[in-house]
Amino acid sequence: MKIIQSPIVMQEYMLNIRKEHKSIGFVPTMGFFHEGHTSLMEEARKENDIVVTSIFVNPLQFGPEEDFETYPRDEEKDIQLAKKVGVDLLFIPSVEHMYPTEMSISMHTEKRTDVLCGRSRPGHFDGVVTVLTKLFHIILPDRVYFGLKDAQQFAVVDGLITNFNFPIELIGLPTVRDENGLAKSSRNVYLSKEEYRESLALYKALNHGQQLIVHGETNPHIIIKEVKNVLHTHTSGTIDYVELLSYPALEHVHEIDEQIIIAIAVKFNRARLIDNILLDTDGKVIQSIR
Ligand code: AMP
Protein backbone atom coordinates (compact mmCIF):
# COMPACT_ATOMS: atom_id res chain seq x y z
CA MET A 1 0.00 0.00 0.00
CA LYS A 2 1.29 3.42 -0.99
CA ILE A 3 0.82 6.45 1.28
CA ILE A 4 0.75 9.89 -0.34
CA GLN A 5 0.41 13.27 1.33
CA SER A 6 0.70 15.78 -1.47
CA PRO A 7 -2.42 16.52 -3.53
CA ILE A 8 -0.31 17.22 -6.63
CA VAL A 9 1.60 13.95 -6.37
CA MET A 10 -1.65 12.09 -5.72
CA GLN A 11 -3.41 13.62 -8.72
CA GLU A 12 -0.47 12.81 -11.03
CA TYR A 13 -0.47 9.26 -9.74
CA MET A 14 -4.22 8.93 -10.35
CA LEU A 15 -3.95 10.44 -13.85
CA ASN A 16 -1.46 7.69 -14.72
CA ILE A 17 -3.79 5.02 -13.34
CA ARG A 18 -6.62 6.41 -15.45
CA LYS A 19 -4.39 6.23 -18.54
CA GLU A 20 -4.08 2.49 -17.87
CA HIS A 21 -7.93 2.28 -17.93
CA LYS A 22 -8.09 0.87 -14.41
CA SER A 23 -11.27 1.47 -12.41
CA ILE A 24 -10.86 3.53 -9.25
CA GLY A 25 -12.98 3.13 -6.10
CA PHE A 26 -12.67 5.85 -3.47
CA VAL A 27 -13.61 5.90 0.24
CA PRO A 28 -13.24 9.35 1.86
CA THR A 29 -12.91 9.31 5.65
CA MET A 30 -11.76 11.26 8.67
CA GLY A 31 -9.83 8.26 9.98
CA PHE A 32 -9.94 6.43 13.34
CA PHE A 33 -11.20 3.40 11.45
CA HIS A 34 -13.83 0.99 12.67
CA GLU A 35 -15.83 -1.69 10.87
CA GLY A 36 -18.09 0.97 9.30
CA HIS A 37 -15.10 2.38 7.44
CA THR A 38 -13.58 -0.98 6.54
CA SER A 39 -16.92 -2.27 5.19
CA LEU A 40 -16.79 0.52 2.60
CA MET A 41 -13.18 -0.32 1.69
CA GLU A 42 -14.02 -4.02 1.38
CA GLU A 43 -16.90 -3.30 -1.00
CA ALA A 44 -14.67 -0.95 -3.03
CA ARG A 45 -12.05 -3.73 -3.15
CA LYS A 46 -14.58 -6.12 -4.72
CA GLU A 47 -15.67 -3.70 -7.41
CA ASN A 48 -12.56 -1.82 -8.54
CA ASP A 49 -9.01 -2.37 -9.83
CA ILE A 50 -7.62 0.33 -7.54
CA VAL A 51 -8.93 1.27 -4.08
CA VAL A 52 -8.11 4.68 -2.64
CA THR A 53 -8.94 5.83 0.89
CA SER A 54 -8.35 9.30 2.25
CA ILE A 55 -7.90 10.34 5.85
CA PHE A 56 -8.52 14.03 6.35
CA VAL A 57 -10.14 15.72 9.34
CA ASN A 58 -11.56 18.67 7.46
CA PRO A 59 -11.57 21.86 9.57
CA LEU A 60 -14.12 23.46 7.22
CA GLN A 61 -16.89 21.11 8.34
CA PHE A 62 -16.43 21.69 12.08
CA GLY A 63 -18.16 24.55 13.90
CA PRO A 64 -16.20 26.80 16.30
CA GLU A 65 -17.60 24.95 19.34
CA GLU A 66 -17.07 21.49 17.84
CA ASP A 67 -14.36 18.87 18.35
CA PHE A 68 -11.94 19.56 15.47
CA GLU A 69 -8.89 19.74 17.75
CA THR A 70 -9.84 16.70 19.82
CA TYR A 71 -11.36 14.54 17.06
CA PRO A 72 -9.98 11.00 17.70
CA ARG A 73 -6.96 10.13 15.55
CA ASP A 74 -4.78 7.00 15.25
CA GLU A 75 -2.88 7.08 11.98
CA GLU A 76 -0.70 4.04 12.68
CA LYS A 77 -3.66 1.79 13.41
CA ASP A 78 -5.53 3.17 10.38
CA ILE A 79 -2.57 2.39 8.11
CA GLN A 80 -2.49 -1.21 9.36
CA LEU A 81 -6.24 -1.67 8.92
CA ALA A 82 -6.24 -0.16 5.43
CA LYS A 83 -3.39 -2.50 4.44
CA LYS A 84 -5.28 -5.46 5.86
CA VAL A 85 -8.42 -4.81 3.79
CA GLY A 86 -6.38 -4.34 0.62
CA VAL A 87 -6.42 -0.57 0.07
CA ASP A 88 -3.90 0.32 -2.65
CA LEU A 89 -3.43 4.01 -1.93
CA LEU A 90 -3.92 5.96 1.26
CA PHE A 91 -4.11 9.72 0.82
CA ILE A 92 -3.30 11.59 4.05
CA PRO A 93 -2.91 15.29 3.30
CA SER A 94 -2.35 17.93 5.97
CA VAL A 95 -4.63 20.94 6.39
CA GLU A 96 -1.87 23.05 4.76
CA HIS A 97 -1.79 20.67 1.79
CA MET A 98 -5.55 20.93 1.27
CA TYR A 99 -5.97 24.65 1.97
CA PRO A 100 -2.60 26.26 1.17
CA THR A 101 -4.17 29.64 0.48
CA GLU A 102 -7.40 31.29 1.49
CA MET A 103 -10.16 30.03 -0.84
CA SER A 104 -11.27 32.64 -3.36
CA ILE A 105 -14.45 30.67 -4.15
CA SER A 106 -16.82 29.11 -1.66
CA MET A 107 -19.43 26.39 -2.05
CA HIS A 108 -22.82 26.60 -0.44
CA THR A 109 -25.57 23.98 -0.28
CA GLU A 110 -29.06 25.19 -1.15
CA LYS A 111 -31.20 22.15 -0.42
CA ARG A 112 -31.29 19.09 1.83
CA THR A 113 -29.42 20.94 4.61
CA ASP A 114 -32.01 23.04 6.45
CA VAL A 115 -33.04 19.94 8.43
CA LEU A 116 -31.37 17.33 10.65
CA CYS A 117 -27.62 17.88 11.20
CA GLY A 118 -27.55 20.73 8.68
CA ARG A 119 -29.79 22.77 10.95
CA SER A 120 -27.88 21.86 14.12
CA ARG A 121 -24.48 22.36 12.45
CA PRO A 122 -24.61 25.51 10.27
CA GLY A 123 -21.93 25.50 7.57
CA HIS A 124 -21.12 21.82 8.12
CA PHE A 125 -22.31 20.64 4.71
CA ASP A 126 -20.70 23.60 2.92
CA GLY A 127 -17.43 22.27 4.35
CA VAL A 128 -18.29 18.72 3.29
CA VAL A 129 -19.07 19.59 -0.35
CA THR A 130 -15.97 21.80 -0.56
CA VAL A 131 -13.59 19.09 0.60
CA LEU A 132 -15.29 16.40 -1.47
CA THR A 133 -15.07 18.51 -4.62
CA LYS A 134 -11.34 18.86 -4.01
CA LEU A 135 -10.92 15.17 -3.22
CA PHE A 136 -12.92 14.07 -6.29
CA HIS A 137 -10.70 16.24 -8.49
CA ILE A 138 -7.53 14.86 -6.89
CA ILE A 139 -8.49 11.17 -6.82
CA LEU A 140 -10.55 11.07 -10.07
CA PRO A 141 -12.62 8.07 -8.92
CA ASP A 142 -15.11 6.05 -10.98
CA ARG A 143 -17.04 5.05 -7.85
CA VAL A 144 -17.30 6.58 -4.39
CA TYR A 145 -18.50 4.73 -1.30
CA PHE A 146 -20.34 6.31 1.61
CA GLY A 147 -22.11 4.91 4.67
CA LEU A 148 -25.85 5.41 4.99
CA LYS A 149 -25.20 5.97 8.70
CA ASP A 150 -24.62 9.55 7.54
CA ALA A 151 -27.74 9.58 5.37
CA GLN A 152 -27.99 13.35 5.11
CA GLN A 153 -24.38 13.48 3.92
CA PHE A 154 -25.24 10.83 1.31
CA ALA A 155 -28.22 12.93 0.12
CA VAL A 156 -26.02 16.04 -0.10
CA VAL A 157 -23.29 14.17 -2.02
CA ASP A 158 -25.97 12.83 -4.36
CA GLY A 159 -26.91 16.48 -5.07
CA LEU A 160 -23.25 17.47 -5.53
CA ILE A 161 -22.52 14.68 -8.02
CA THR A 162 -25.75 15.27 -9.99
CA ASN A 163 -25.73 19.07 -9.98
CA PHE A 164 -22.05 19.38 -10.88
CA ASN A 165 -21.90 16.48 -13.35
CA PHE A 166 -19.14 14.53 -11.67
CA PRO A 167 -18.69 11.35 -13.76
CA ILE A 168 -18.84 9.28 -10.59
CA GLU A 169 -21.11 6.47 -9.44
CA LEU A 170 -22.32 7.02 -5.87
CA ILE A 171 -22.78 3.97 -3.65
CA GLY A 172 -24.42 4.02 -0.20
CA LEU A 173 -23.78 1.04 2.05
CA PRO A 174 -25.49 -0.29 5.20
CA THR A 175 -24.85 1.09 8.67
CA VAL A 176 -22.53 -1.23 10.58
CA ARG A 177 -23.62 -1.77 14.19
CA ASP A 178 -22.05 -3.40 17.21
CA GLU A 179 -23.51 -6.56 18.74
CA ASN A 180 -26.02 -4.47 20.73
CA GLY A 181 -27.20 -2.38 17.81
CA LEU A 182 -25.23 0.83 18.37
CA ALA A 183 -24.08 2.29 15.04
CA LYS A 184 -20.29 2.28 14.91
CA SER A 185 -18.83 5.77 15.11
CA SER A 186 -15.39 7.20 15.80
CA ARG A 187 -17.06 9.38 18.43
CA ASN A 188 -18.38 6.37 20.42
CA VAL A 189 -15.08 6.49 22.36
CA TYR A 190 -16.48 9.60 24.09
CA LEU A 191 -19.30 7.57 25.72
CA SER A 192 -19.16 6.63 29.40
CA LYS A 193 -20.28 3.11 30.35
CA GLU A 194 -23.69 4.35 31.41
CA GLU A 195 -24.07 6.47 28.28
CA TYR A 196 -23.19 3.47 26.13
CA ARG A 197 -26.00 1.51 27.77
CA GLU A 198 -28.41 4.38 27.16
CA SER A 199 -27.23 4.91 23.59
CA LEU A 200 -28.74 1.57 22.62
CA ALA A 201 -32.11 3.34 22.83
CA LEU A 202 -31.41 5.09 19.51
CA TYR A 203 -31.68 1.92 17.45
CA LYS A 204 -34.51 0.65 19.63
CA ALA A 205 -36.45 3.88 18.97
CA LEU A 206 -35.85 3.65 15.22
CA ASN A 207 -37.05 0.05 15.15
CA HIS A 208 -40.15 1.08 17.05
CA GLY A 209 -40.84 3.74 14.41
CA GLN A 210 -40.39 1.17 11.68
CA GLN A 211 -42.79 -1.25 13.37
CA LEU A 212 -45.48 1.45 13.52
CA ILE A 213 -45.19 1.94 9.75
CA VAL A 214 -45.21 -1.81 9.11
CA HIS A 215 -48.46 -1.95 11.09
CA GLY A 216 -50.02 0.73 8.92
CA GLU A 217 -49.33 4.03 10.70
CA THR A 218 -48.93 6.77 8.09
CA ASN A 219 -49.01 9.89 10.27
CA PRO A 220 -45.46 11.27 10.70
CA HIS A 221 -46.39 13.24 13.85
CA ILE A 222 -47.54 10.12 15.67
CA ILE A 223 -44.41 8.21 14.66
CA ILE A 224 -42.09 11.05 15.74
CA LYS A 225 -43.88 11.32 19.08
CA GLU A 226 -43.58 7.60 19.73
CA VAL A 227 -39.89 7.53 18.75
CA LYS A 228 -39.25 10.45 21.13
CA ASN A 229 -41.07 8.56 23.88
CA VAL A 230 -38.71 5.60 23.56
CA LEU A 231 -35.72 7.95 23.74
CA HIS A 232 -37.08 9.86 26.75
CA THR A 233 -37.80 6.61 28.58
CA HIS A 234 -34.37 5.07 28.03
CA THR A 235 -31.84 7.90 27.90
CA SER A 236 -30.77 10.91 29.91
CA GLY A 237 -29.23 12.42 26.74
CA THR A 238 -30.72 15.53 25.17
CA ILE A 239 -32.70 14.93 22.00
CA ASP A 240 -31.27 17.21 19.32
CA TYR A 241 -33.82 16.06 16.76
CA VAL A 242 -36.16 13.29 15.72
CA GLU A 243 -37.38 13.84 12.17
CA LEU A 244 -39.27 11.91 9.55
CA LEU A 245 -38.60 13.19 6.02
CA SER A 246 -38.74 12.12 2.41
CA TYR A 247 -35.48 10.61 1.18
CA PRO A 248 -33.22 11.74 -0.45
CA ALA A 249 -35.03 15.10 -0.92
CA LEU A 250 -35.27 15.50 2.88
CA GLU A 251 -38.58 17.33 2.78
CA HIS A 252 -41.37 17.19 5.33
CA VAL A 253 -44.16 14.78 4.43
CA HIS A 254 -47.81 14.83 5.52
CA GLU A 255 -48.27 11.16 5.00
CA ILE A 256 -45.94 8.23 4.40
CA ASP A 257 -46.46 7.58 0.71
CA GLU A 258 -42.83 7.61 -0.49
CA GLN A 259 -39.35 6.49 0.57
CA ILE A 260 -38.58 8.09 3.93
CA ILE A 261 -35.94 8.48 6.59
CA ILE A 262 -36.44 8.52 10.34
CA ALA A 263 -33.38 10.24 11.79
CA ILE A 264 -32.28 10.88 15.35
CA ALA A 265 -29.55 12.90 17.04
CA VAL A 266 -28.97 12.69 20.79
CA LYS A 267 -26.40 14.65 22.76
CA PHE A 268 -24.65 12.96 25.62
CA ASN A 269 -22.00 14.59 27.76
CA ARG A 270 -19.16 14.53 25.19
CA ALA A 271 -20.67 12.57 22.32
CA ARG A 272 -23.42 13.60 19.95
CA LEU A 273 -24.77 10.43 18.36
CA ILE A 274 -26.75 10.17 15.14
CA ASP A 275 -28.62 7.24 13.69
CA ASN A 276 -31.30 6.68 11.09
CA ILE A 277 -33.38 4.16 9.26
CA LEU A 278 -34.44 4.35 5.60
CA LEU A 279 -37.79 2.83 4.78
CA ASP A 280 -40.00 2.22 1.78
CA THR A 281 -43.75 2.85 1.98
CA ASP A 282 -44.41 -0.60 3.49
CA GLY A 283 -41.88 0.01 6.24
CA LYS A 284 -39.29 -2.27 4.64
CA VAL A 285 -35.71 -1.23 5.49
CA ILE A 286 -33.58 0.05 2.61
CA GLN A 287 -30.07 -1.18 3.40
CA SER A 288 -28.08 0.20 0.49
CA ILE A 289 -28.46 2.62 -2.42
CA ARG A 290 -26.90 2.52 -5.88
P1 AMP B 1 -16.13 9.55 8.83
O1 AMP B 1 -14.70 9.09 9.01
O2 AMP B 1 -16.91 9.56 10.08
O3 AMP B 1 -16.23 10.82 8.02
O4 AMP B 1 -16.82 8.44 7.94
C1 AMP B 1 -16.28 8.05 6.69
C2 AMP B 1 -17.30 7.20 5.97
O5 AMP B 1 -17.60 6.06 6.76
C3 AMP B 1 -18.62 7.93 5.71
O6 AMP B 1 -19.10 7.58 4.42
C4 AMP B 1 -19.51 7.39 6.79
O7 AMP B 1 -20.88 7.41 6.45
C5 AMP B 1 -19.01 5.96 6.89
N1 AMP B 1 -19.40 5.37 8.17
C6 AMP B 1 -19.17 5.87 9.41
N2 AMP B 1 -19.73 5.08 10.34
C7 AMP B 1 -20.32 4.06 9.68
C8 AMP B 1 -21.07 2.91 10.09
N3 AMP B 1 -21.31 2.64 11.36
N4 AMP B 1 -21.54 2.08 9.13
C9 AMP B 1 -21.30 2.34 7.82
N5 AMP B 1 -20.60 3.39 7.37
C10 AMP B 1 -20.11 4.24 8.29
Side-chain angles (χ1 to χ4, degrees):
M1 183 179 75
K2 204 171 168 59
I3 301 173
I4 297 178
Q5 284 162 331
S6 153
I8 294 172
V9 172
M10 188 75 197
Q11 196 182 45
E12 265 176 25
Y13 201 93
M14 299 316 295
L15 280 165
N16 282 326
I17 287 173
R18 288 200 74 90
K19 277 189 201 138
E20 293 167 15
H21 301 289
K22 288 184 173 156
S23 61
I24 300 162
F26 176 40
V27 181
T29 82
M30 298 204 297
F32 208 67
F33 294 160
H34 48 67
E35 290 87 338
H37 296 112
T38 51
S39 70
L40 305 180
M41 296 169 206
E42 281 161 2
E43 190 65 19
R45 180 70 285 162
K46 284 185 210 151
E47 298 176 358
N48 300 278
D49 298 322
I50 299 291
V51 176
V52 183
T53 295
S54 62
I55 299 176
F56 182 60
V57 183
N58 174 32
L60 252 55
Q61 68 192 67
F62 286 76
E65 305 299 318
E66 293 182 2
D67 57 348
F68 173 68
E69 296 295 341
T70 58
Y71 190 82
R73 293 163 165 91
D74 191 344
E75 208 171 286
E76 266 321 300
K77 190 174 154 222
D78 288 350
I79 290 170
Q80 296 314 321
L81 276 171
K83 261 188 203 162
K84 205 171 144 198
V85 294
V87 169
D88 298 297
L89 285 153
L90 194 54
F91 180 49
I92 317 183
S94 65
V95 172
E96 292 72 30
H97 278 123
M98 287 299 274
Y99 304 112
T101 52
E102 210 177 311
M103 304 278 274
S104 58
I105 294 175
S106 69
M107 297 184 74
H108 176 60
T109 61
E110 294 291 346
K111 282 191 182 286
R112 305 183 175 186
T113 52
D114 57 345
V115 291
L116 310 177
C117 292
R119 193 173 49 207
S120 320
R121 305 179 71 186
H124 169 69
F125 285 110
D126 292 349
V128 170
V129 294
T130 305
V131 77
L132 287 178
T133 299
K134 288 174 70 75
L135 288 170
F136 291 171
H137 285 134
I138 295 165
I139 312 288
L140 308 166
D142 297 286
R143 301 186 186 88
V144 287
Y145 297 81
F146 286 83
L148 290 176
K149 149 122 191 327
D150 299 289
Q152 184 170 26
Q153 173 168 273
F154 185 85
V156 169
V157 178
D158 173 56
L160 175 69
I161 287 178
T162 310
N163 293 170
F164 287 87
N165 303 87
F166 282 95
I168 297 176
E169 185 187 342
L170 174 63
I171 295 147
L173 295 175
T175 300
V176 176
R177 301 176 180 282
D178 74 8
E179 62 280 10
N180 297 313
L182 177 65
K184 296 258 178 184
S185 163
S186 304
R187 289 185 172 103
N188 289 354
V189 292
Y190 295 151
L191 292 170
S192 70
K193 246 189 172 151
E194 174 56 24
E195 286 177 334
Y196 172 79
R197 212 179 51 74
E198 291 186 13
S199 70
L200 306 180
L202 271 76
Y203 192 43
K204 191 187 290 216
L206 290 169
N207 282 326
H208 181 60
Q210 183 217 358
Q211 282 308 308
L212 292 171
I213 296 172
V214 168
H215 290 103
E217 183 57 68
T218 59
N219 184 335
H221 300 292
I222 293 175
I223 295 161
I224 290 169
K225 196 165 148 249
E226 291 251 351
V227 169
K228 279 186 177 167
N229 277 345
V230 177
L231 290 174
H232 280 306
T233 311
H234 296 282
T235 80
S236 56
T238 313
I239 298 177
D240 188 350
Y241 61 71
V242 173
E243 293 196 55
L244 188 159
L245 303 164
S246 65
Y247 194 85
L250 299 180
E251 285 165 354
H252 291 281
V253 292
H254 300 295
E255 205 186 356
I256 296 166
D257 55 4
E258 57 186 310
Q259 188 171 293
I260 59 116
I261 181 169
I262 307 176
I264 293 177
V266 177
K267 274 189 197 145
F268 289 97
N269 188 21
R270 279 188 71 205
R272 177 179 173 280
L273 300 186
I274 58 169
D275 203 348
N276 73 79
I277 196 163
L278 296 176
L279 301 170
D280 70 14
T281 45
D282 301 327
K284 198 163 146 282
V285 179
I286 298 159
Q287 298 281 4
S288 53
I289 297 180
R290 277 173 190 270

